[in-house]
Amino acid sequence: MARGVVIAAGIVLLLQWGALGAWAFSWLTSEAQGTTGMPPLGHDLRVYWTVSWITTHLGALTAFDRPTLSALQLQFFPAYTEVGYWLYPPTYQWAIQPLSALPYRWTYAVYVAVCVALFAVAVSPWRKRAGWPWLVVIAFPGLWITVLAGQNAVVTLLLVTLALTLSGTRPLFAGFCGGLLVIKPQFAVLLPLWWLCGRQWRALMAMAVTGAVSCALTLGWEGWALWQAFLASVSTFNAVVVQQGAGGIWHAMPTIFAAARLHGASLCAAYALFGVVAVPSVLIAAWLWAKQGPLSLRVAAAMTATLLSQPYLLYYELVWLIVPLLCLGATKPATASGATLAWLSDRLRAAIWLLPLQAYLAVLWTPMGQWGVVLVPALMLVTAWRARQVGKSASRKPSPRA
């Protein structure tokens, strides 16, 4: 990789670290003075931490009581008056119960270290194949935006990357990772399709068993009432926030659905436009898995299609894009045709590398808009084009003589 690219990545990394340090100083000052308005570092992690405390001291079901959750967030984080929702299934609530064993600041410090470690594990195999320097990978803004938000997107990145990458060589472990995605099930629904198309039955079976056992354990923990509360909460959130845009959520969503609603489209029209992008993306990925295309392109297509098939997707989930970028870097067509398209592909991947940062800035300054509405579908098209180039290259090889 060119030295200029590495230097630019280093500068971006330093700027991100500087911004995180300034945020930490402002938050700590705000907390000390008791002033309002400055979110804590990991502002979504504070919701997880509060839910952990509620689960431990008041019972798991109380986490879905919005007045109690809101009051305790204000009690634990008095300098920031905006309160968050709790929308996760019992499988995730069970997993995060230990968080409040430490004070929030220590919890956040551990969270950052774990996120960076998990991110490194997730990208390591594909980084080697793509030949990217570690500096360029670690500087990827998606990681630091996720850390700033305090979200679990790095965990889902790790699970889905291992599930897709290892399903052919270690199917039981891959299925186990896929099954653990019941902590955020919307990102798991397409895994069975990829594995059905690829005829990877052992991975599919392991995923089904892992998911079923995880859900059964939560039923033994708190019973069906907790699942009912979760489903009711998600239904209300979808109707009020996702579909109607309460709280300005559409400005934080790099999806066709949100862009259509922001521009005045009806609910039915927004879902129809979403389907125009999502359905072909899923079909392209399914075709690659059915045809046993190169693993790098199958992984890239599956992860990109999963993002495009979410009508509700927030900016921090774009951390997933690092693996498709590395996968495309690891797949070089053995043909010189399409030089213009190759040039455009390289520029698009550079834009995608910066996209999580742009998506976050668009939340702070909404007139900028979410460029991922265009760039992520374009990434899917580049993946399909790369698969076509690889297929052409393979078809030109002379067949062996008898």
Side-chain angles (χ1 to χ4, degrees):
M1 187 171 287
R3 176 185 287 185
V5 173
V6 177
I7 293 173
I11 293 171
V12 171
L13 181 60
L14 290 175
L15 289 173
Q16 291 176 117
W17 283 354
L20 283 169
W23 187 299
F25 177 78
S26 299
W27 168 50
L28 293 172
T29 303
S30 175
E31 285 283 310
Q33 296 175 351
T35 55
T36 60
M38 192 65 198
L41 277 169
H43 48 84
D44 284 353
L45 184 67
R46 74 195 161 95
V47 180
Y48 304 164
W49 191 93
T50 304
V51 167
S52 165
W53 190 94
I54 291 173
T55 302
T56 301
H57 295 90
L58 303 178
L61 195 58
T62 309
F64 289 98
D65 180 64
R66 183 149 175 77
T68 300
L69 177 61
S70 299
L72 285 170
Q73 286 180 65
L74 294 174
Q75 176 184 326
F76 294 137
F77 305 93
Y80 185 57
T81 56
E82 289 189 25
V83 295
Y85 295 84
W86 177 243
L87 300 164
Y88 284 91
T91 45
Y92 187 63
Q93 188 172 348
W94 188 19
I96 66 165
Q97 185 173 355
L99 282 181
S100 59
L102 292 174
Y104 177 77
R105 292 176 187 178
W106 284 105
T107 298
Y108 181 74
V110 173
Y111 159 82
V112 172
V114 170
C115 274
V116 173
L118 294 183
F119 181 83
V121 172
V123 303
S124 182
W126 291 110
R127 185 202 68 83
K128 292 177 183 176
R129 300 183 200 189
W132 284 26
W134 267 115
L135 178 61
V136 176
V137 176
I138 292 296
F140 178 58
L143 170 61
W144 304 105
I145 296 300
T146 300
V147 165
L148 179 65
Q151 262 290 338
N152 55 24
V154 172
V155 176
T156 59
L157 166 70
L158 174 68
L159 292 176
V160 78
T161 302
L162 292 176
L164 291 170
T165 303
L166 301 177
S167 60
T169 55
R170 299 180 62 188
L172 297 182
F173 180 69
F176 173 73
C177 292
L180 291 181
L181 280 169
V182 290
I183 63 171
K184 210 160 187 176
Q186 68 267 35
F187 290 126
V189 292
L190 288 173
L191 267 177
L193 175 61
W194 315 139
W195 288 341
L196 282 170
C197 290
R199 297 175 292 281
Q200 302 198 353
W201 315 118
R202 296 175 68 193
L204 186 59
M205 177 191 67
M207 178 183 178
V209 171
T210 302
V213 170
S214 299
C215 293
L217 289 173
T218 63
L219 288 173
W221 176 48
E222 287 289 338
W224 176 242
L226 193 61
W227 280 95
Q228 286 180 309
F230 158 68
L231 294 172
S233 179
V234 168
S235 177
T236 301
F237 182 83
N238 184 62
V240 175
V241 179
V242 178
Q243 295 183 349
Q244 302 305 322
I249 193 72
W250 292 334
H251 292 290
M253 294 168 56
T255 69
I256 299 294
F257 173 84
R261 293 293 278 158
L262 275 171
H263 288 83
S266 68
L267 188 60
C268 289
Y271 274 123
L273 288 170
F274 159 73
V276 167
V277 173
V279 172
S281 300
V282 171
L283 292 177
I284 289 171
W287 175 79
L288 276 171
W289 280 82
K291 292 293 184 181
Q292 297 293 310
L295 179 61
S296 56
L297 295 182
R298 280 185 279 151
V299 172
M303 294 184 71
T304 307
T306 300
L307 293 177
L308 290 171
S309 64
Q310 310 295 322
Y312 174 65
L313 184 82
L314 292 180
Y315 59 90
Y316 45 74
E317 306 291 0
L318 296 180
V319 69
W320 275 35
L321 291 173
I322 187 62
V323 171
L325 287 175
L326 291 170
C327 288
L328 289 176
T331 308
K332 305 199 177 358
T335 174
S337 64
T340 301
L341 285 175
W343 184 88
L344 290 173
S345 170
D346 290 341
R347 272 63 193 170
L348 172 65
R349 286 188 289 147
I352 292 286
W353 189 87
L354 285 168
L355 181 60
L357 179 58
Q358 186 280 324
Y360 178 71
L361 294 176
V363 178
L364 303 179
W365 188 58
T366 56
M368 181 186 296
Q370 289 288 347
W371 299 354
V373 172
V374 174
L375 291 180
V376 180
L379 180 64
M380 193 73 210
L381 291 177
V382 166
T383 305
W385 170 74
R386 187 66 63 83
R388 183 171 177 269
Q389 293 295 95
V390 170
K392 280 185 176 181
S393 175
S395 66
R396 291 194 184 107
K397 291 181 180 179
S399 57
R401 295 182 179 179

